[in-house]
Amino acid sequence: KKIIDGRLGFVSRTSYRNDIKIAEFDMDIDHYGHGGVKIEHVSICDENGDQFSWVVGGEMVYLQILLLASANIKRPIVGFQFKDPRGQVIFADNTSLTTAENPISIPKGQKFKAEFVFQMPLLPHGEYSIRAAVANGTEAEARMLDCVDDALILSCSPQGVRHGLVGLPMEKVSLEVMGNRPGN
């Protein structure tokens, strides 16, 4: 069952729209780690894999991290962190649980991709960044192979007010009068 916040249609047509510009991944950006894998590209796409340069908060997005193994990798863990303008991680995830019971090995020379599907949060004004990383091992014991701190920069210029660090699309929000009305 797909959950859609019914207010998002209204928000997208009004001054409360949450516009987010996404900068292109810089192929020459600094990488660090022990090597063996290189993050080749990071993008935010639609369900067809077409890259977004602009999204609206509340849209379903596909964060794709494309990688190339330059060595045999026994247990890759690919992940990301979504950081606010102060550098605080506001949400993050990785592939460790997805492959915990059935680990995937990547042979030298193989390209591979991690994909994370989520609803873009409603963001306050500012510049956000996505850090992408790949490690080898397990969640408890992993060796960083490649990491890009500012893989993507997202600039948000909303017109409306957001409550808290991020606004999340709600499954349901209601307001109703209960019982007898005064004067009846």
Side-chain angles (χ1 to χ4, degrees):
K1 175 181 168 185
K2 186 175 180 180
I3 299 171
I4 298 172
D5 186 334
R7 300 171 300 172
L8 292 176
F10 167 77
V11 167
S12 293
R13 294 186 312 271
T14 68
S15 63
Y16 297 110
R17 187 170 141 142
N18 194 237
D19 292 318
I20 303 164
K21 183 179 179 192
I22 305 166
E24 181 86 22
F25 178 75
D26 180 357
M27 301 297 275
D28 298 321
I29 197 164
D30 289 337
H31 294 246
Y32 61 90
H34 293 283
V37 173
K38 182 169 184 181
I39 296 169
E40 291 196 321
H41 195 74
V42 179
S43 59
I44 295 178
C45 303
D46 66 11
E47 67 274 5
N48 299 317
D50 295 326
Q51 188 172 326
F52 284 125
S53 61
W54 194 279
V55 299
V56 175
E59 281 187 271
M60 191 62 68
V61 297
Y62 296 69
L63 174 63
Q64 294 183 349
I65 303 173
L66 305 177
L67 308 105
L68 174 63
S70 57
N72 293 324
I73 308 300
K74 188 174 179 181
R75 276 186 96 127
I77 300 173
V78 182
F80 76 95
Q81 294 177 330
F82 196 110
K83 296 182 178 185
D84 73 5
R86 293 182 180 160
Q88 299 174 99
V89 176
I90 54 177
F91 67 96
D93 212 332
N94 66 49
T95 60
S96 66
L97 289 178
T98 304
T99 60
E101 292 184 358
N102 296 305
I104 295 173
S105 294
I106 307 293
K108 180 180 179 178
Q110 180 69 52
K111 289 188 177 211
F112 60 111
K113 172 178 81 171
E115 185 173 73
F116 303 88
V117 182
F118 56 92
Q119 220 168 349
M120 182 63 74
L122 305 171
L123 301 171
H125 179 81
E127 280 202 350
Y128 296 78
S129 66
I130 293 179
R131 177 182 191 240
V134 58
N136 191 35
T138 64
E139 187 86 37
E141 202 173 297
R143 181 178 181 167
M144 181 67 68
L145 302 178
D146 192 22
C147 185
V148 180
D149 277 330
D150 294 324
L152 290 179
I153 302 295
L154 297 89
S155 301
C156 185
S157 54
Q159 302 303 315
V161 176
R162 296 290 153 256
H163 305 289
L165 293 177
V166 296
L168 297 177
M170 297 289 119
E171 180 178 349
K172 180 179 179 182
V173 176
S174 65
L175 176 65
E176 61 184 88
V177 176
M178 301 298 296
N180 293 333
R181 294 184 185 168
N184 287 346

